[in-house]
Amino acid sequence: MMPLLRSLSEAWYWISMRFLMLTRFLEPLRLASKLDILQWFVVQVQYVSGGVARNVAECMSKLGTRPFIISVVGLDMAGELLLKYWKSAGLSTEAVASVEAVETFVTPQWIKKFSHKIRSAPMVMVDANLNPLALKAACQLAGEFSIPLWFEPVSITKSVRISSIINYITFASPNVNELISMANALSLNKKFDFITKSFQSIETLFQMLKPAICVLLEKGVKVLSVTLGSYGVFLCCTGGPDFINEALNRRTASCSSRKLYELVNNNSLANRFHCNTETGMKSSSFAYHFPSLPASVVSLTGAGDCLVGGILASICAGIDLMQSIAVGITVAKAAVEAESNVPAKYSLTTIKDEAVKIMSSAQPLAF
């Protein structure tokens, strides 16, 4: 199982500490009257399971991986709803505590109780909702056991928490603005501006972001997956292709995730990327642009989390990094086309076909 850690310290109006997203749909029904001044509203309240790590974990479970989530939920209807779903999916609630107060955080002590789970994990993901002490405790445990660590920045504001744990991070998955915020938090001298102007091409955008990307790579992050919304993903790595296999040497595929591996893994595509990354690299660093897929957008909420979930599930299944990025983009597309944060189910055959299209269209960038 792969631990995913998060804190539930958000304000009440997010309903059960931001584990539930509340969506209101207002449909005005105007009363027929001469004055035409009265208006009624029919309000439909829909509860949708949400939260960064919870979305990632649900996505991974539907792709055949069995994540282990360390968190807390409220002693209320919303908390019970979340736990009921988690149990129905056959996933462990051992590390999900019930608490009576919203201000109760996931503590270092709570995390350390599950060090045995972290020790045996192929990878650990932490998100920046964790309070700084808990975040550091989780990272230290992963570092102690030499487990690759994935950092999910969550937001521009919380992404700066990377500064205290940068020495532990192997992977990070910021969007463009989170990338700039993280680079500014890690840079003593030069400060980077947020991207506010239009760009002429993907290569132009990459060159605009390259200085900030280099800050994180120079600080020790090995893999950056920079999300670009409808423009796809920049994959930026340092250490060369061999590092990726070495960093993930603990990964083992479960019987269910084996289906994903057998469908998606394509040695000819993997070899193409391996050859390209071995030539023309500067200081063993390389970057690729992976395009997005056309989608019929229903909701953008949860798409980024499903992107991360798809990548992590693929890596844990034994699929190489390049193909895992393609799977993540495919999974994110399915999330965009669903009303819920995570689609009810995934078609592995569709994932395979669309991942191959993305891989075939991916292009190297001048690093």
Side-chain angles (χ1 to χ4, degrees), residues 22-304:
L22 180 149
T23 306
R24 293 183 178 180
F25 301 95
L26 302 181
E27 299 177 359
L29 297 178
R30 184 160 293 171
L31 291 180
S33 70
K34 292 182 179 180
L35 295 178
D36 198 24
I37 59 173
L38 295 177
Q39 199 174 37
W40 288 89
F41 293 90
V42 176
V43 180
Q44 178 184 5
V45 179
Q46 179 181 359
Y47 289 92
V48 179
S49 298
V52 174
R54 197 222 64 87
N55 289 343
V56 172
E58 182 183 351
C59 175
M60 293 180 67
S61 70
K62 288 179 176 177
L63 292 173
T65 304
R66 296 185 62 79
F68 185 85
I69 191 166
I70 302 175
S71 189
V72 293
V73 296
L75 272 176
D76 52 20
M77 179 191 73
E80 289 299 317
L81 180 65
L82 289 163
L83 288 175
K84 182 179 179 181
Y85 168 78
W86 208 244
K87 292 174 182 176
S88 70
L91 298 169
S92 173
T93 59
E94 176 188 354
V96 182
S98 295
V99 295
E100 296 182 356
V102 173
E103 63 269 16
T104 301
F105 297 85
V106 175
T107 64
Q109 292 73 26
W110 180 247
I111 292 170
K112 289 175 182 177
K113 286 183 63 176
F114 304 98
S115 60
H116 61 291
K117 294 289 186 180
I118 295 176
R119 179 194 294 270
S120 60
M123 187 181 296
V124 171
M125 189 201 92
V126 295
D127 77 37
N129 281 312
L130 286 166
N131 70 66
L133 290 177
L135 191 61
K136 190 167 186 178
C139 292
Q140 287 176 333
L141 279 174
E144 179 182 342
F145 302 133
S146 300
I147 309 297
L149 185 77
W150 187 294
F151 177 73
E152 167 51 44
V154 174
S155 69
I156 295 173
T157 302
K158 293 182 178 179
S159 66
V160 300
R161 292 181 179 176
I162 192 175
S163 58
S164 63
I165 57 168
I166 185 62
N167 293 335
Y168 300 98
I169 297 174
T170 312
F171 301 81
S173 48
N175 61 31
V176 170
N177 288 331
E178 290 164 353
L179 169 69
I180 299 297
S181 179
M182 291 160 66
N184 284 336
L186 294 169
S187 180
L188 297 177
N189 301 316
K190 184 175 177 58
K191 296 298 179 181
F192 305 95
D193 296 326
F194 291 100
I195 305 298
T196 57
K197 58 183 180 180
S198 60
F199 51 91
Q200 296 180 340
S201 66
I202 287 296
E203 181 66 42
T204 300
L205 177 60
F206 178 72
Q207 294 306 319
M208 293 166 68
L209 295 174
K210 182 178 172 181
I213 291 171
C214 287
V215 168
L216 272 76
L217 296 181
E218 289 168 0
K219 289 291 184 178
V221 178
K222 298 295 185 182
V223 180
L224 273 177
S225 171
V226 183
T227 59
L228 312 172
S230 61
Y231 293 100
V233 172
F234 285 151
L235 174 65
C236 311
C237 303
T238 184
D242 290 340
F243 157 76
I244 305 302
N245 293 330
E246 292 171 4
L248 301 174
N249 59 5
R250 292 171 175 263
R251 64 190 179 190
T252 54
S254 65
C255 293
S256 53
S257 65
R258 192 74 188 175
K259 297 177 183 177
L260 180 64
Y261 174 86
E262 291 173 351
L263 276 173
V264 173
N265 191 54
N266 186 315
N267 290 328
S268 63
L269 284 175
N271 289 336
R272 168 206 163 196
F273 281 96
H274 183 80
C275 292
N276 284 349
T277 54
E278 294 234 316
T279 60
M281 289 191 297
K282 181 180 179 181
S283 301
S284 299
S285 297
F286 62 94
Y288 269 83
H289 172 245
F290 289 76
S292 62
L293 294 167
S296 301
V297 177
V298 175
S299 172
L300 297 177
T301 306

